Amino acid sequence: MKVAIQKFGKILSAMVMPNMGAFIAWGLITALFIPAGWFPNENLGELVDPMLSYLLPILIALSAGKMFGGEKGAVAAGIAVIGVILGAPDQPMLMGAMLIGPLAGWSITKFDKLIDNKVKAGFEMLINNFSTGIIGMLLAIIGFYVIGPFMSILLTILTAGVNLLVENSLLPFVAIFIEPAKVLFLNNAINHGILTPIGTEQVAELGKSIMYMLESNPGPGLGVILAYMVFSKNKTTKSSTPGAAIIHLFGGIHEIYFPYVLMNPMVIIGPIVGSIVTIFYYLVFNAGLIAPAAPGSIIAYMAVSPKGETLIVLGGVLIATVVSFVISAIFVRMAGDKDLDEAKNQVANMKAQSKGIELATESKIEKIVFACDAGMGSSAMGATKFRNRIAKLNLDIVVTNSSVDTVPADANIVVCQEVLKDRAIKSANNAQIITIGNFLTDPNLDGLYNFIVENVAEAPTAEAPIAEAPIAEAPTAEAAENEVLNKGNIKLGCSAETKQEAITAAGQLLVEQGYANEEYIQGMLNREETTTTCLGFGVAIPHGTIETKKEVKKTGIVFLQYPEGVMFDDEKVHLVFGIAAAGDEHMEILAQIADLVEDDSKLETLRTTSDLDEIMGLLNVTL
């Protein structure tokens, strides 16, 4: 249940958080220029309503549409949300945007799958543009007549519920749920996914909202840290608190105090009571903020305090700190000598789980396998890049790659794309599975690296060996040129309307150069239907499926340059490396490609050069 809630909350917060700067800009304009603001200005005050009614919902819808349907999904969501806004003109449709945006992105994705490989060459742009416009138009009509009025009713009910809690002095008791949820890394989901939209609705009506203060107050967490600073009997823990207090209070990074709670879970009572008392205080003084305090630092609190209420707002932070400190101190003194490092490991594991990385801190990690459908392209590059990344840690960890259906039995961790997760579980039911979107740059790869650093890595030693995957001996430069990549494998100045055309061209070149049979081309197209071979950075590495690997005659790589680019779903690709792999001879060149994507100047050279020798040099192939 926790994972499901985290996943749902992650979706909600992902719609709002990229646009937090717009929320803050709107809040500051409100605080400064409305009649009750710091510097009333009738002309500039006219910016407030359009930003709230149109800008913020449209930005949320765009983020949601892009998350579910790429650039086309964002465009369709931007069209559709206008219908929602006009369908409920009396209320800001932030929550309406959070509904119509994903619906638009999902609709675009479903339509694209429905017509995949059914559009004749030359008609792709026409179909893409008209389908986006038609889907956006239909959803705008549905938004106007259905979603807008429905969300208006729902917001009325939610507002009545909040008012009921306030009138009966029950609102403070939401802290009983919010404070423990924060320590479970549901803080962003609660704050940005639920409280921020409701708070923004209240600001439109009242000019401020207490909803912005329920989760973001730095006082409860600061009280916990101060309790350990004064009463902890562990020197390591005690010495860590001054820095943690500064980061928490002024930086607004609340996760810094989570280990102190997890060292002694009873300590959570301090933040709960501190938050309850503070919310009562804010209700008595009718306090609120005019925009989200993001991050939840004392600086952000002061910046978004209404004119004349700064001392009231700061008083609530002080009260929360004192109450949390007094109560937390009781449990800290009772706890004895507890080690902070163990709690930090627990936090790292919990944070990894909140990002989709479910690892046990006591797990022994000896082999990490990057798995894709055929095990010859994207997974090989991902394994190479991650192996190089952890090399400096001097760990005895093997990082290799394989087909998702033939994962080695001794694998401890399998990294694969989400669509391959079920196959990975069947192939490696004893391994822990980490799902990603991109083998080269993905937050979950960062999470895995951080987990290894915090839970596995020891202090590096000069004598410690750097573990490498047991791959075949690297070929000589001459062999790489003659057998895997040579000038005849390169085509410059290509053009294509669709990714299918680009993949077919790469496959045809592999066939012409004697690396594969004609049937392999269809395998490359089938592989692309499973999940994109675009790596980001304008690079794609199309290759066949495990079923068509039998059509490979020998290992080879071809390179096609597309100066104008060709769309691989949401990304414009300029560099297409077609791969046919019978063995591991291509690994060295894939390693070079993995390094190249981190160098913008070299990528630009590959995109624009007409010099074959320069390309061979960049790929480290001796001429």
Side-chain angles (χ1 to χ4, degrees):
M1 181 182 294
K2 185 183 76 172
V3 171
I5 294 172
Q6 285 173 336
K7 187 174 182 179
F8 178 68
K10 193 175 179 181
I11 292 172
L12 292 180
S13 62
M15 301 181 203
V16 178
M17 288 188 71
N19 306 304
M20 193 53 63
F23 277 87
I24 292 173
W26 164 74
L28 292 174
I29 290 172
T30 303
L32 293 173
F33 303 125
I34 62 173
W38 291 90
F39 308 104
N41 186 302
E42 184 177 352
N43 294 327
L44 294 178
E46 292 181 1
L47 292 171
V48 173
D49 288 340
M51 291 181 72
L52 178 59
S53 298
Y54 292 95
L55 176 64
L56 297 181
I58 290 173
L59 288 175
I60 290 174
L62 289 175
S63 295
K66 186 174 183 178
M67 181 167 45
F68 284 86
E71 296 294 340
K72 290 169 59 182
V75 174
I79 298 168
V81 76
I82 296 298
V84 176
I85 292 169
L86 297 180
D90 297 328
Q91 292 175 304
M93 276 291 104
L94 302 184
M95 297 186 74
M98 297 172 78
L99 177 60
I100 198 70
L103 179 60
W106 177 84
S107 299
I108 287 291
T109 301
K110 289 297 181 183
F111 180 81
D112 285 348
K113 287 183 178 179
L114 186 66
I115 66 169
D116 194 25
N117 293 326
K118 297 178 182 177
V119 179
K120 292 184 177 181
F123 287 86
E124 294 86 359
M125 185 175 294
L126 180 70
I127 297 298
N128 284 340
N129 290 339
F130 268 85
S131 63
T132 302
I134 291 171
I135 291 173
M137 177 194 71
L138 293 175
L139 289 176
I141 294 171
I142 294 172
F144 184 85
Y145 286 110
V146 179
I147 297 178
F150 170 76
M151 294 306 299
S152 181
I153 294 171
L154 179 61
L155 286 169
T156 301
I157 295 172
L158 289 174
T159 301
V162 172
N163 291 336
L164 183 66
L165 291 175
V166 173
E167 292 170 2
N168 291 277
S169 300
L170 296 175
L171 186 64
F173 295 103
V174 300
I176 296 174
F177 305 100
I178 290 177
E179 292 301 326
K182 286 172 65 175
V183 181
L184 295 175
F185 287 92
L186 295 172
N187 48 325
N188 286 333
I190 293 170
N191 195 18
H192 302 305
I194 299 172
L195 300 180
T196 293
I198 296 175
T200 305
E201 305 282 350
Q202 289 187 335
V203 170
E205 180 181 353
L206 305 173
K208 59 185 177 181
S209 176
I210 194 174
M211 306 303 286
Y212 294 141
M213 311 172 95
L214 300 184
E215 185 274 340
S216 60
N217 191 335
L222 180 61
V224 171
I225 296 173
L226 294 178
Y228 276 96
M229 182 186 293
V230 176
F231 296 107
S232 176
K233 298 175 183 177
N234 184 283
K235 292 182 178 180
T236 301
T237 300
K238 195 165 190 172
S239 64
S240 70
T241 54
I246 293 171
I247 293 171
H248 176 79
L249 182 62
F250 296 103
I253 309 301
H254 288 201
E255 286 87 348
I256 197 75
Y257 82 86
F258 295 175
Y260 297 95
V261 174
L262 294 171
M263 287 170 62
N264 182 3
M266 292 297 292
V267 169
I268 193 65
I269 295 175
I272 290 174
V273 177
S275 185
I276 289 174
V277 172
T278 303
I279 296 171
F280 268 119
Y281 162 82
Y282 283 143
L283 287 174
V284 170
F285 285 92
N286 191 30
L289 301 178
I290 48 87
S297 73
I298 194 71
I299 297 171
Y301 254 57
M302 294 173 65
V304 294
S305 297
K307 181 181 179 181
E309 296 184 16
T310 303
L311 291 180
I312 294 175
V313 171
L314 294 180
V317 176
L318 178 61
I319 290 172
T321 302
V322 171
V323 173
S324 177
F325 168 78
V326 170
I327 296 177
S328 298
I330 297 171
F331 299 103
V332 172
R333 295 183 68 179
M334 292 170 55
D337 185 4
K338 287 200 172 184
D339 188 6
L340 182 63
D341 291 337
E342 183 179 347
K344 284 184 176 179
N345 289 338
Q346 187 178 354
V347 167
N349 191 34
M350 292 171 65
K351 192 164 187 175
Q353 289 182 16
S354 74
K355 295 180 178 293
I357 307 171
E358 299 186 22
L359 300 173
T361 54
E362 67 273 9
S363 299
K364 188 173 184 180
I365 300 177
E366 296 178 339
K367 178 177 280 189
I368 301 173
V369 176
F370 283 65
C372 64
D373 184 73
M376 67 175 73
S378 51
S379 63
M381 291 183 67
T384 299
K385 188 173 176 65
F386 196 78
R387 186 186 312 122
N388 293 338
R389 186 177 183 183
I390 68 169
K392 62 181 180 292
L393 301 177
N394 293 332
L395 300 174
D396 191 20
I397 296 177
V398 171
V399 181
T400 186
N401 71 289
S402 76
S403 163
V404 72
D405 298 313
T406 58
V407 175
D410 59 345
N412 305 116
I413 295 174
V414 176
V415 179
C416 67
Q417 291 168 305
E418 180 68 37
V419 295
L420 301 176
K421 181 177 180 180
D422 291 340
R423 289 166 62 184
I425 293 173
K426 290 180 182 179
S427 177
N429 54 9
N430 292 323
Q432 299 180 83
I433 310 297
I434 294 177
T435 58
I436 58 171
N438 187 303
F439 276 106
L440 296 186
T441 58
D442 191 277
N444 284 357
L445 289 177
D446 295 334
L448 174 59
Y449 176 79
N450 292 334
F451 179 88
I452 291 173
V453 170
E454 295 169 1
N455 297 281
V456 182
E458 301 289 342
T461 59
E463 297 77 20
I466 298 176
E468 293 189 357
I471 62 175
E473 184 178 350
T476 63
E478 291 76 16
E481 177 186 0
N482 295 329
E483 298 297 328
V484 179
L485 178 64
N486 56 58
K487 291 183 180 180
N489 296 8
I490 299 174
K491 283 190 175 182
L492 304 179
C494 301
S495 63
E497 292 292 329
T498 67
K499 66 176 181 178
Q500 287 79 14
E501 287 183 38
I503 293 170
T504 300
Q508 192 61 49
L509 188 54
L510 286 169
V511 172
E512 292 172 1
Q513 295 298 102
Y515 295 113
N517 296 320
E518 191 80 26
E519 291 78 7
Y520 188 70
I521 299 175
Q522 187 58 48
M524 296 173 73
L525 293 169
N526 293 342
R527 167 62 181 81
E528 189 68 24
E529 291 181 6
T530 304
T531 182
T532 183
T533 54
C534 174
L535 300 175
F537 309 98
V539 178
I541 53 170
H543 51 276
T545 61
I546 190 67
E547 291 81 11
T548 54
K549 193 168 184 178
K550 63 181 182 293
E551 305 298 340
V552 176
K553 295 179 179 180
K554 60 180 181 179
T555 298
I557 294 178
V558 297
F559 170 59
L560 292 85
Q561 178 198 71
Y562 290 86
E564 300 301 319
V566 57
M567 295 305 296
F568 272 59
D569 297 335
D570 307 327
E571 174 117 10
K572 181 175 285 190
V573 167
H574 296 273
L575 312 174
V576 175
F577 294 88
I579 301 171
D584 296 322
E585 300 91 336
H586 63 310
M587 290 296 196
E588 288 298 311
I589 296 177
L590 287 182
Q592 291 297 320
I593 298 171
D595 291 337
L596 281 173
V597 298
E598 296 183 342
D599 191 320
D600 291 338
S601 64
K602 291 181 179 179
L603 281 178
E604 182 63 23
T605 299
L606 284 178
R607 283 195 290 264
T608 58
T609 186
S610 58
D611 187 342
L612 293 180
D613 291 342
E614 189 172 23
I615 291 174
M616 299 292 279
L618 285 173
L619 296 176
N620 203 28
V621 178
T622 303
L623 305 177

